């Protein structure tokens, strides 16, 4: 090894015989801002191909975590080498699943609903070699804008041949006009703002009778639907059995690969029912740590595919997939 390294550096030097270090530095372009390559990653699960699509990166305030002291949040972030400069870094991912007979998009990113730093799902889907017209099914884990807005742009469907599915409970919570009056006064304006974004996103699909709901016990394109309510009242996850492994698209049962794995009883401000969201996470994490399912998660570090491990059944670790080409 050592000999090879020496030979390599000697040949490098001989190719720049007349340049000093300063001169070499001057010939390099100045890179103002780092830009990564296209945000997609393909993972083969048995006979099924999953393409993780990056929508963008968000930064959350550490104050959003509940039932935990802020000092402890910072300690956990530091322990896991999490960059805290701009807040708690969080990916927004969607997943394109080629089952061999169907092309299914699970969640769709935020499009322009939250600003220009998000909204790359569509361009990354094209970069991955697929076309939006090929998508026949969209499964939404819930109707928060970072999951639903990506299905449309300016009232036009991004996926003109797709049928959109969401749980009956979720559709009822956001689309039933009577719902707003059941909420406390201080939550109504925020709720109505979200409803507006949801309605705009789903309108082109509703116009073509391509917006459908399901309930527990149903299957959509071979995906089993799993009730994981708490984060939102009709939040569902999707399980797909492939030839070699079971993959679960968990949705927003977790938002942080550090704080909520170390202390899974920590809720987050985005949870509509924080107590139920914690119960759901504890139940599902325990199941995935023993069942060894492959997990695909919209808010774990891109590509958001990996496994949930626990040494003691109380705290957990996120084990991401290895890069493979
Ligand atoms: Zn989300």
């Amino acid at each position: 090894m050592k000999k090879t390294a020496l030979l390599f550096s000697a040949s490098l030097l001989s190719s720049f015989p007349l340049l000093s270090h300063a001169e070499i530095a001057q010939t390099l372009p100045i890179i103002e801002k780092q830009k990564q390559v296209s945000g997609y990653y393909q993972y083969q699960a048995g006979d099924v191909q999953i393409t993780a699509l990056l929508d963008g990166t968000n930064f959350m305030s550490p104050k959003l975590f509940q039932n935990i002291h802020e000092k402890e949040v910072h300690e956990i972030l530091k322990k896991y080498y999490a960059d805290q400069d701009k807040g708690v870094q969080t990916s927004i991912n969607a997943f394109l699943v080629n089952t061999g007979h169907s092309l299914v998009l699970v969640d769709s990113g935020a499009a322009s609903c939250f600003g220009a730093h998000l909204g790359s799902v569509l361009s990354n889907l094209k970069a991955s070699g697929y076309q939006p017209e090929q998508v026949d099914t969209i499964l939404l884990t819930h109707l928060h804008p970072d999951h639903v807005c990506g299905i449309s742009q300016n009232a036009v469907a991004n996926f003109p041949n797709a049928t959109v599915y969401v749980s009956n409970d979720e559709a009822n919570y956001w689309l039933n006009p009577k719902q707003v009056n059941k909420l406390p006064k201080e939550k109504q304006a925020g709720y109505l703002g979200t409803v507006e974004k949801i309605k705009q996103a789903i309108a082109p699909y509703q116009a073509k009778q391509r917006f459908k709901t399901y309930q527990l016990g149903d299957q959509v394109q071979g995906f089993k639907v799993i009730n994981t309510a708490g984060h939102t009242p009709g939040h569902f996850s999707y399980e797909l059995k492939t030839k070699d492994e079971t993959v679960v698209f968990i949705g927003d049962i977790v938002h942080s690969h550090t704080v909520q794995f170390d202390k899974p009883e920590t809720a987050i401000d985005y949870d509509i029912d924080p107590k139920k969201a914690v119960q759901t996470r504890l139940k599902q994490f325990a199941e995935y740590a023993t069942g060894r399912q492959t997990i695909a998660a919209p808010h774990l570090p891109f590509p958001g595919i990996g496994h949930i491990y626990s040494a003691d059944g109380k705290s957990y670790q996120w084990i991401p997939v290895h890069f493979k080409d």
Side-chain angles (χ1 to χ4, degrees), residues 92-112:
I92 296 186
N93 312 315
F95 301 94
L96 188 66
V97 188
N98 186 343
T99 68
H101 51 82
S102 190
L103 191 61
V104 180
L105 182 65
V106 183
D107 290 328
S108 69
S112 55

Side-chain angles (χ1 to χ4, degrees), residues 142 144 146-147 231 252 255 298-299:
H142 62 301
H144 272 159
D146 55 321
H147 299 259
H231 175 63
D252 283 12
H255 291 79
H299 297 311

